């Protein structure tokens, strides 16, 4: 408990409009709380920013994967389908070079892999979803990232997916049947 002498020791030597200040210690609980925030901040920084802890984006992906494994992995892109002849020709070349035809047929009607010309898709039909799916592949089903493992640039992916979209509704002969269990109707944009 403070008495007059204590207060004299703690009194600071300034005074404003008759208001004086005592140099009291911060309460122990407050100081401990302060040290705790510093320790927490350090641990947080080291784990998430230096030791490779998952980003919020990664955590989201992991939760979506845990929730059903059928998440749509859209790539973050502002790229849109293009329709000029040169890009579509480049896309067709990539389709052949990346061996997509081996599993999706030269006419895109599907073989081991699903038909890419109809309105029925398993993993999403948005431009960005299809780009993302080709980027990551479906390795447990035999499709490597980018079809055969060789990375493509975003603009190459754009040409490739634009080419695929240009074949939509082409109804090629011998097209693979729809799998009603897994494929959902979805008009590709
Ligand atoms: C070794 C075989 C194989 C190759 C090569 C391959 N795919 Fe696939 N692809 C598959 C299979 C199988 C699936 C179905 C995955 C599933 O069942 O979940 C698939 C799925 C897809 C899908 C998703 C379809 C949907 O309905 O959502 C797209 C898009 C696709 N492939 C495009 C391509 C492109 C483009 C290439 C070339 C760059 C390619 N694939 C190369 C086997 C292949």
């Amino acid at each position: 408990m403070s008495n007059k002498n204590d207060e004299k020791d703690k009194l600071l030597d300034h005074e404003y409009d008759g208001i004086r200040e005592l140099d009291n210690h911060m309460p122990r609980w407050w100081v401990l709380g302060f040290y705790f925030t510093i320790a927490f901040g350090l641990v947080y920084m080291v784990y998430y920013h230096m030791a490779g802890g998952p980003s919020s984006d990664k955590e989201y992906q992991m939760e979506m994967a845990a929730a059903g494994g059928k998440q749509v992995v859209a790539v973050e892109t502002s790229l849109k389908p293009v329709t000029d002849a040169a890009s579509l020709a480049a896309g067709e070349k990539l389709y052949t070079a990346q061996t997509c035809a081996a599993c999706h047929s030269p006419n895109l009607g599907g073989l081991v892999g699903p038909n890419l010309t109809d309105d029925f898709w398993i993993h999403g039909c948005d431009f960005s979803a299809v780009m993302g799916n080709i980027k990551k592949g479906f390795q447990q089903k035999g499709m490597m990232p980018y079809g055969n493992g060789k990375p493509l640039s975003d603009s190459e992916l754009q040409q490739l997916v634009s080419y695929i979209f240009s074949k939509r509704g082409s109804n090629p002969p011998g097209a693979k049947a729809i799998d009603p269990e897994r494929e959902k109707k979805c008009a590709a944009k």
Side-chain angles (χ1 to χ4, degrees):
M1 295 297 114
S2 59
N3 58 39
K4 273 263 170 299
N5 274 345
D6 272 2
E7 289 198 355
K8 215 181 243 157
D9 292 343
K10 291 177 178 173
L11 200 60
L12 298 175
D13 56 3
H14 53 237
E15 177 184 337
Y16 300 104
D17 296 337
I19 298 170
R20 314 207 60 188
E21 188 186 352
L22 294 178
D23 182 17
N24 284 314
H25 288 293
M26 305 298 289
R28 177 179 291 270
W29 65 264
W30 193 97
V31 175
L32 288 177
F34 179 60
Y35 289 144
F36 174 76
T37 60
I38 294 177
F40 184 88
L42 277 175
V43 170
Y44 186 96
M45 187 180 76
V46 169
Y47 180 64
Y48 285 104
H49 294 285
M50 297 160 90
S55 64
S56 332
D57 198 35
K58 189 84 204 290
E59 280 176 347
Y60 171 76
Q61 302 272 338
M62 291 184 327
E63 273 175 39
M64 292 305 281
K70 251 180 80 178
Q71 89 273 32
V72 173
V73 182
V75 285
E76 278 182 42
T77 177
S78 52
L79 297 176
K80 300 259 177 297
V82 289
T83 52
D84 64 282
S87 300
L88 296 183
E92 182 171 9
K93 239 188 205 146
L94 289 166
Y95 184 82
T96 310
Q98 296 293 112
T99 65
C100 314
C103 297
H104 293 281
S105 166
N107 63 20
L108 283 68
L111 291 166
V112 180
N115 182 350
L116 301 176
T117 67
D118 61 9
D119 282 347
F120 292 81
W121 297 77
I122 306 170
H123 300 281
C125 65
D126 279 6
F127 195 68
S128 64
V130 176
M131 274 182 66
N133 287 331
I134 296 169
K135 205 163 182 172
K136 92 173 168 22
F138 300 101
Q139 295 198 58
Q140 68 286 28
K141 304 271 182 178
M143 176 170 155
M144 301 282 283
Y146 306 93
N148 67 12
K150 184 174 163 287
L152 297 173
S153 70
D154 277 1
S155 63
E156 286 174 320
L157 269 176
Q158 182 185 29
Q159 293 167 338
L160 177 57
V161 178
S162 297
Y163 168 68
I164 292 171
F165 279 21
S166 76
K167 293 291 173 190
R168 188 177 147 217
S170 59
N171 204 6
K176 193 174 173 179
I178 294 158
D179 174 356
E181 292 281 297
R182 299 186 62 215
E183 293 188 307
K184 299 219 159 24
K185 191 172 169 97
C186 151
K189 293 186 268 278

